[in-house]
Amino acid sequence: MMVYTVSAFYALEPFSAEQRQSWREELLTWNEPHLSGLVILAPDGVNATVGADEKTLARVEDWFRQHLSRSPHFKHSYSAVRPFRRWKVYLRKETVTTGGRLGSSHPETGTHVDAQQWNALLQDPGAVVIDVRNDYEISMGRFPNAIDPGTRSFSDFADFVSPAQLPRDQKILTYCTGGIRCEKAVPYLRSLGYEQVYQLQGGILQYLERFPGKTGTFEGECFVFDDRVALDDQLQPSLTY
């Protein structure tokens, strides 16, 4: 039985229109039979989820390592079903749609913490945990005591921050599926004067690689933007959704 390896990754760095078009044309020439996925090329970077056999996926990841100035963090999961119906490469205005409401992305200003450090921070009784995903994603699973901003779209996150009156003297811990939405949310929070803001490096996907099942604290399942719908705490396709 064919088992697909699914790689989710992103890189935030500026790309010219000519460069994005050139990359798209090259990527669309790839016609390996087991390759499927979605690659978004935008002025602010790359956001992608790719499924393939191990050999093909290694080629995909090597290509991006060679073409990006910073090697992305590749988060892996597995699936017995094809995660996407076809291979898609899109040119878009943003890697993640914000409607320009969250300002520019400056990943270097964020405080990234790995899964083990995240677990330690969760023990701080004064820490405020914010899930920056959308409400339908959060309904499937979350970290304990995480705040649900109640957004249907990530571009609405700015509406949550303003009336929420988050405490400025406490640690704010943010997380999302793979990390890219935190790359937008954390600089925005910092621009409003929040200084102790942390983000889970690699998001839920990388956390579950390190702490699967009951070894970690994530509860429920993780929504993903492909035909698997969600992953359980072993990073296997959901049997529920």
Side-chain angles (χ1 to χ4, degrees):
M1 180 178 66
M2 170 70 188
V3 176
Y4 293 87
T5 302
V6 184
S7 179
F9 60 94
Y10 68 87
L12 294 179
E13 55 185 87
F15 300 116
S16 68
E18 293 78 10
Q19 190 175 30
R20 298 194 305 276
Q21 183 61 42
S22 174
W23 285 11
R24 181 175 187 270
E25 291 173 0
E26 180 176 351
L27 291 170
L28 285 176
T29 64
W30 297 358
N31 58 0
E32 285 78 355
H34 298 303
L35 177 64
S36 68
L38 171 62
V39 178
I40 295 172
L41 303 175
D44 63 329
V46 175
N47 187 15
T49 303
V50 179
D53 58 89
E54 289 188 4
K55 182 178 180 181
T56 300
L57 189 65
R59 176 193 171 192
V60 172
E61 293 183 344
D62 284 343
W63 189 92
F64 280 99
R65 287 191 189 97
Q66 294 169 12
H67 287 76
L68 297 170
S69 61
R70 295 181 181 179
S71 180
H73 292 278
F74 298 100
K75 284 82 66 176
H76 291 157
S77 55
Y78 303 91
S79 177
V81 299
R82 190 180 179 93
F84 290 87
R85 297 178 184 177
R86 58 190 179 92
W87 175 236
K88 299 174 286 187
V89 184
Y90 291 158
L91 299 178
R92 291 186 178 167
K93 294 180 179 180
E94 297 179 281
T95 49
V96 177
T97 301
T98 68
R101 302 186 65 197
L102 300 183
S104 301
S105 302
H106 300 287
E108 68 277 5
T109 66
T111 301
H112 297 71
V113 295
D114 63 23
Q116 188 165 350
Q117 293 169 319
W118 177 260
N119 281 344
L121 286 169
L122 289 177
Q123 300 305 310
D124 185 340
V128 177
V129 185
I130 302 176
D131 192 324
V132 305
R133 299 175 301 157
N134 298 318
D135 54 5
Y136 57 90
E137 301 173 70
I138 297 172
S139 68
M140 295 184 181
R142 66 168 83 180
F143 284 99
N145 302 316
I147 295 173
D148 176 0
T151 58
R152 288 289 299 171
S153 170
F154 183 57
S155 59
D156 296 330
F157 184 74
D159 294 328
F160 158 75
V161 176
S162 179
Q165 297 182 346
L166 298 171
R168 296 180 185 273
D169 59 346
Q170 294 174 242
K171 295 184 179 73
I172 296 179
L173 316 181
T174 67
Y175 71 92
C176 59
T177 306
I180 191 169
R181 281 177 280 188
C182 287
E183 300 283 13
K184 306 279 186 174
V186 169
Y188 178 69
L189 288 167
R190 288 182 178 274
S191 73
L192 297 177
Y194 295 95
E195 297 181 355
Q196 300 183 76
V197 187
Y198 303 82
Q199 70 181 82
L200 176 59
Q201 177 70 52
I204 300 166
L205 295 179
Q206 192 161 306
Y207 180 88
L208 290 177
E209 284 191 78
R210 176 65 178 83
F211 292 105
K214 294 182 179 180
T215 64
T217 60
F218 185 78
E219 300 174 345
E221 301 193 328
C222 178
F223 178 89
V224 289
F225 294 90
D226 59 61
D227 287 353
R228 295 172 296 171
V229 181
L231 303 178
D232 64 20
D233 57 15
Q234 301 289 335
L235 292 176
Q236 295 298 313
S238 172
L239 298 178
T240 304
Y241 298 98

